[in-house]
């Protein structure tokens, strides 16, 4: 008998509890429609908010990038993998977020893990919103710092916890999603920054679901005019969502970025993104900033969906973002609803624990600027049809 002898039983048990995860194999390019199991489905679960993952201009830039730089970057950034294409994208991201410097990581997950782990350790403190993305929670846990969660968007609870750390001679890091990935709710940046500053802590905001989607020219929730690096010291962005490519970045002061270059293990010990990804992202960054109609379209779809869903009697959380979860509670119920919607040609993957807290399984509906009025209508009709299940 080995310690792994229960591996099959554990899988069976997971299946029985409605928690088993299965991948859907997609047979078409990313877009508002996907081919799955030979069937065309309307895609209401991607994070390609602006419809740029398969944009002609981004694709053309990607191809050109491959011709200029090859397929792979060959090494980590600190070895020989850091090209002028990466460097140019970092400067553009710094400019876009209104920060002095930015640093590219291979994913948002790597950016979060590496950044938190580089900045705090034994004896320090990390306080996180309890609904933060797994990569932020994992970063806090891996860092070795004392890790606490505060209630969702509750600055009083946060303030109370910060109060108890006094006198704080150690580093204290407060971490929050900007837009919460599974709920669509948003962090009150001003209030949280204020509480954090009062206690001499640093504030890290993960803008994965806000960059490109909200704010002036798509700059997200952290407006650089109002919140410079003295109030939000660390800004995190991901490139695989609204930007439609791949990767993540941290932005902030020169000292912050230099510290991450010295100490972020996910940065140091990992091959740089292909330079062509940086070239493609430069093209999408330009579109993100210039084509405001994409954000307007998203807001319009979101507003109309909420109105239609309310008419159906569906309860929606307080979200004005393109993330519109329909919370069902039970895992198996979420699975059944998702399967029934798929029968009607709608792809909405169920989100279950541990991605969301127990008892809050949901259908996480997301919109992209590419969705048509007709798509929205089909979604509402579909939801009406399955709502009795
Ligand atoms: C998706 C996501 C990440 C991870 O980004 P990847 O580039 O997909 O690794 C980090 N934070 C939040 C809030 C996310 O939603």
């Amino acid at each position: 008998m080995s310690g792994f002898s229960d591996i099959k039983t554990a899988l069976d048990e997971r299946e029985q509890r409605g928690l088993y995860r299965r991948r859907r194999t997609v047979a078409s390019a990313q877009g508002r429609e996907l081919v799955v199991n030979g069937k065309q489905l309307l895609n209401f679960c991607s994070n390609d908010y602006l419809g740029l993952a398969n944009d002609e201009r981004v694709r053309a830039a990607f191809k050109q990038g491959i011709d200029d730089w090859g397929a792979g970057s060959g090494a980590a950034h600190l070895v020989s993998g850091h090209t002028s294409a990466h460097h140019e994208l970092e400067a553009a991201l710094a400019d876009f977020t209104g920060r002095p410097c930015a640093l590219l990581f291979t994913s948002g997950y790597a950016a979060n893990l590496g950044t938190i782990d580089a900045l705090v350790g034994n004896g320090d403190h990390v306080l996180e919103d309890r609904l933060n993305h797994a990569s932020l929670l994992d970063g806090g846990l891996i860092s070795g710092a004392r890790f606490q969660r505060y209630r969702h968007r509750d600055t009083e609870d946060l303030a109370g916890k910060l109060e108890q750390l006094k006198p704080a001679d150690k580093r204290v890091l407060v971490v929050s999603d900007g837009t919460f990935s599974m709920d669509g709710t948003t962090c009150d940046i001003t209030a949280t920054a204020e509480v954090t500053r009062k206690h001499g802590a640093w504030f890290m905001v993960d803008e994965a679901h806000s960059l490109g989607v909200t704010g002036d020219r798509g700059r997200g929730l952290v407006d650089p005019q109002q919140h410079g690096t003295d109030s939000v010291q660390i800004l995190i962005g991901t490139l695989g969502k609204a930007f439609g490519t791949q990767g993540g970045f941290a932005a902030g002061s020169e000292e912050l970025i230099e510290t991450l270059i010295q100490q972020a293990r996910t940065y140091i010990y990992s091959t740089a993104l292909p330079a062509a990804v940086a070239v493609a992202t430069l093209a999408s960054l330009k579109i993100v900033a210039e084509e405001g109609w994409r954000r307007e379209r998203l807001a319009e779809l979101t507003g109309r969906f909420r109105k239609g869903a309310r008419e159906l009697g569906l309860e929606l959380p307080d979200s004005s973002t393109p993330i519109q979860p329909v919370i069902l509670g039970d895992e198996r119920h979420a699975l059944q609803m998702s399967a029934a919607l798929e029968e009607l040609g709608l792809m909405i993957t169920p989100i279950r624990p541990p991605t969301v807290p127990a008892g809050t399984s949901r259908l996480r509906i997301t919109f992209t600027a590419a969705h048509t009025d007709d798509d929205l209508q089909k979604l509402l009709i579909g939801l009406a049809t399955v709502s009795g299940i």
Side-chain angles (χ1 to χ4, degrees):
M1 285 288 275
S2 88
F4 290 108
S5 58
D6 67 346
I7 192 166
K8 171 90 172 67
T9 334
L11 284 171
D12 291 345
E13 196 212 343
R14 185 175 276 269
E15 172 90 60
Q16 276 156 22
R17 291 169 59 207
L19 292 175
Y20 206 91
R21 296 170 184 238
R22 288 187 171 80
R23 300 170 299 172
R24 316 304 315 279
T25 307
V26 175
S28 59
Q30 191 53 229
R32 48 175 273 283
E33 283 191 315
L34 296 176
V35 176
V36 179
N37 289 339
K39 203 173 150 189
Q40 198 109 25
L41 300 178
L42 275 174
N43 177 11
F44 282 108
C45 51
S46 90
N47 299 313
D48 181 25
Y49 298 115
L50 302 182
L52 296 180
N54 194 22
D55 182 273
E56 211 174 306
R57 294 159 292 178
V58 179
R59 282 198 337 229
F62 208 159
K63 287 179 192 162
Q64 185 62 51
I66 290 169
D67 286 344
D68 292 345
W69 297 102
S73 65
H77 282 273
L78 288 170
V79 183
S80 63
H82 186 69
T83 67
S84 55
H86 296 101
H87 211 71
E88 192 185 336
L89 177 59
E90 288 180 342
L93 289 169
D95 184 56
F96 180 74
T97 55
R99 265 57 203 158
C101 292
L103 189 73
L104 273 177
F105 288 77
T106 47
S107 70
Y109 191 99
N112 282 335
L113 210 68
T115 298
I116 298 174
D117 184 42
L119 292 174
V120 290
N122 259 335
D124 296 327
H125 297 270
V126 179
L127 290 96
E128 302 208 16
D129 188 293
R130 67 182 284 270
L131 294 189
N132 272 357
H133 188 262
S135 56
L136 296 169
L137 301 172
D138 290 356
L141 291 168
I142 212 176
S143 70
R146 179 147 175 257
F147 182 76
Q148 292 185 72
R149 300 178 200 217
Y150 58 90
R151 286 199 297 269
H152 184 46
R153 302 173 70 216
D154 188 338
T155 46
E156 270 180 41
D157 188 33
L158 170 62
K161 289 191 159 62
L162 284 167
E163 203 68 50
Q164 287 180 359
L165 302 182
K166 270 182 178 174
D169 55 339
K170 294 291 185 181
R171 292 182 179 182
V172 181
L173 183 63
V174 173
V175 185
S176 180
D177 276 21
T179 297
F180 287 84
S181 56
M182 297 300 136
D183 296 78
T185 47
T186 53
C187 171
D188 183 338
I189 304 291
T190 304
T192 316
E194 177 62 25
V195 170
T196 305
R197 189 193 53 77
K198 221 175 109 191
H199 290 86
W202 271 20
F203 188 22
M204 170 168 169
V205 182
D206 180 350
E207 289 271 70
H209 296 275
S210 351
L211 288 182
V213 172
T214 188
D216 174 40
R217 293 167 71 84
R219 285 199 173 116
L221 291 170
V222 179
D223 175 358
Q225 303 291 336
Q226 209 187 336
H227 298 292
T229 51
D230 52 346
S231 73
V232 176
Q233 287 82 2
I234 309 150
L235 192 82
I236 299 290
T238 60
L239 306 177
K241 287 162 182 157
F243 295 104
T245 60
Q246 171 72 37
F249 69 94
S253 68
E254 192 182 339
E255 292 78 12
L256 170 75
I257 299 307
E258 285 302 316
T259 301
L260 297 181
I261 293 172
Q262 313 308 313
Q263 286 181 262
R265 296 169 66 85
T266 57
Y267 180 78
I268 300 167
Y269 300 108
S270 194
T271 302
L273 283 172
V277 172
V279 177
T281 309
L282 278 163
S284 83
L285 191 57
K286 196 159 170 286
I287 300 169
V288 166
E290 286 174 2
E291 297 188 355
W293 66 265
R294 291 177 188 270
R295 278 178 286 285
E296 283 159 27
R297 176 71 186 146
L298 264 181
E300 186 190 338
L301 283 163
T302 302
R304 283 172 43 197
F305 169 75
R306 287 184 69 83
K307 185 164 174 288
R310 270 197 301 267
E311 282 164 13
L312 292 176
L314 290 175
E315 258 187 67
L316 299 173
D318 180 22
S319 160
S320 56
T321 70
I323 302 167
Q324 294 290 327
V326 176
I327 298 179
L328 301 165
D330 180 67
E331 320 21 281
R332 273 162 298 231
H333 189 201
L335 276 171
Q336 283 163 0
M337 288 278 274
S338 174
L341 287 163
E342 184 168 330
E343 285 296 309
L344 302 173
L346 299 161
M347 183 169 179
I348 308 167
T349 40
I351 307 285
R352 292 163 289 161
T355 308
V356 292
T360 71
S361 286
R362 64 197 67 188
L363 296 171
R364 175 180 178 268
I365 296 167
T366 53
F367 295 100
T368 82
H371 284 125
T372 66
D373 293 353
D374 193 43
D375 296 342
L376 176 63
Q377 209 49 40
K378 284 187 179 137
L379 170 66
L380 287 167
I381 292 169
L383 286 171
T385 311
V386 303
S387 64
I389 291 177

